[in-house]
Amino acid sequence: MLGKEELKALNDYFEEKEPLEVLKWGVEKFYPKIVLACSLQAEDIVILDMLSRVVEKPKVFIIDTGRLHQESYDLIEEITKKYNADVRLYFPDYKDVEDMVNKYGINLFYKSVEFRKMCCEIRKVRPLKRALEGMEAWITGLRREQNFTRGGIKKIELDEVNGGIIKLNPLADWTWEQVWDYIKKNNVPYNKLYDKGYKSIGCVPCTRPVKPWEHPRAGRWWWEQNSDKECGLHYRKEVK
Ligand code: SF4
């Protein structure tokens, strides 16, 4: 495990560096115990494309909540054909899902923030824990400009919520424009929901397209007022 001083020195060093440099460092230090979390967003596929340049067979996990869009499934097929990656799908425990929907309803997430978080916990967070078992590091496509809970993310973090493993956010300082420039220049596959006005990709019932003037994450859990608009995959404990 990295100490706080070492972590700070690494972040000072990598803050001005390109995402590829962060990934090279992560792969050298942790492969094969490093995995990319792919939630089928544009950023995730950009990272997969970069990772493919630094390691022969990147490890990737995708959580299939059971409520994904067809376009997301199509993208899974596309990336598994294009990249020589070890892509694993993780599903929620069927018993947890059965208990939840039989007790609270198939569309319980619209009833309250608590129910919505329960659904995210069962369909996303618990599978995440299994996907991270045995790993020493994971990689995400989080960017600081995505929303208020992500403004302070570092490129290299200690993930206290997930057993103190390392979390790499190589695109932390990238803008939306940089992500799409990379996609166009490198012919990277992307989720076709973006062509339909979506700016952030999640589950079908909890995601909708946004207007050009709206915040990119305004289409996530749009009916909730004053919630943190997070599913729990990226909760952070501040390391002081
Ligand atoms: Fe459930 Fe919606 Fe969360 Fe998906 S985003 S896990 S459907 S509450």
Side-chain angles (χ1 to χ4, degrees), residues 131-173:
L132 294 181
E133 269 169 27
M135 291 293 128
E136 292 177 359
W138 62 307
I139 308 165
T140 85
L142 297 186
R143 292 182 302 110
R144 290 175 190 145
E145 72 172 17
Q146 280 167 331
N147 73 3
F148 65 94
T149 61
R150 298 179 182 182
I153 58 170
K154 303 271 192 288
K155 293 191 178 178
I156 303 172
E157 299 186 327
L158 203 57
D159 185 353
E160 306 260 30
V161 176
N162 288 299
I165 66 173
I166 293 298
K167 185 171 180 179
L168 298 188
N169 307 307
L171 302 185
D173 58 347

Side-chain angles (χ1 to χ4, degrees), residues 34-211:
I34 181 166
V35 65
L36 168 63
C38 176
S39 45
L40 306 161
Q41 313 260 3
E43 292 89 343
D44 306 325
I45 319 301
V46 165
I47 294 177
L48 173 57
D49 191 86
M50 290 175 178
L51 255 186
S52 307
R53 296 162 199 251
V54 298
V55 62
E56 205 181 319
K57 203 166 178 71
K59 291 167 93 101
V60 181
F61 72 81
I62 296 168
I63 296 174
D64 182 351
T65 62
R67 304 292 298 246
L68 301 183
H69 296 80
Q70 183 57 42
E71 289 85 345
S72 296
Y73 293 113
D74 293 342
L75 182 61
I76 294 174
E77 283 244 304
E78 213 179 331
I79 60 175
T80 44
K81 276 186 197 145
K82 179 170 170 110
Y83 297 105
N84 180 36
D86 177 5
V87 179
R88 302 281 169 99
L89 282 145
Y90 286 80
F91 294 84
D93 182 288
Y94 78 91
K95 213 154 174 352
D96 288 349
V97 177
E98 280 180 11
D99 287 349
M100 174 178 71
V101 299
N102 286 325
K103 201 163 174 190
Y104 302 113
I106 193 76
N107 288 331
L108 72 162
F109 24 78
Y110 297 133
K111 294 179 183 169
S112 71
V113 176
E114 290 69 32
F115 280 174
R116 193 274 287 173
K117 293 202 168 189
M118 180 197 299
C119 185
C120 285
E121 163 74 23
I122 285 173
R123 291 183 189 269
K124 290 184 174 182
V125 178
R126 292 184 193 172
L128 170 76
K129 304 281 178 211
R130 288 193 291 113
L132 294 181
E133 269 169 27
M135 291 293 128
E136 292 177 359
W138 62 307
I139 308 165
T140 85
L142 297 186
R143 292 182 302 110
R144 290 175 190 145
E145 72 172 17
Q146 280 167 331
N147 73 3
F148 65 94
T149 61
R150 298 179 182 182
I153 58 170
K154 303 271 192 288
K155 293 191 178 178
I156 303 172
E157 299 186 327
L158 203 57
D159 185 353
E160 306 260 30
V161 176
N162 288 299
I165 66 173
I166 293 298
K167 185 171 180 179
L168 298 188
N169 307 307
L171 302 185
D173 58 347
W174 268 31
T175 62
W176 185 239
E177 288 70 31
Q178 282 175 292
V179 171
W180 283 93
D181 277 355
Y182 186 95
I183 288 174
K184 284 177 198 148
K185 279 188 194 135
N186 297 283
N187 202 21
V188 172
Y190 65 91
N191 199 315
K192 296 301 178 281
L193 290 170
Y194 290 112
D195 294 338
K196 299 177 182 174
Y198 288 76
K199 287 266 181 70
S200 177
I201 311 296
C203 294
V204 178
C206 301
T207 317
R208 70 175 184 184
V210 292
K211 303 281 186 304

Side-chain angles (χ1 to χ4, degrees), residues 219-233:
R220 305 293 294 275
W221 308 293
W222 65 91
W223 64 90
E224 288 185 1
Q225 306 297 323
N226 305 321
S227 85
D228 56 14
K229 304 270 188 178
E230 291 284 359
C231 59
L233 293 183

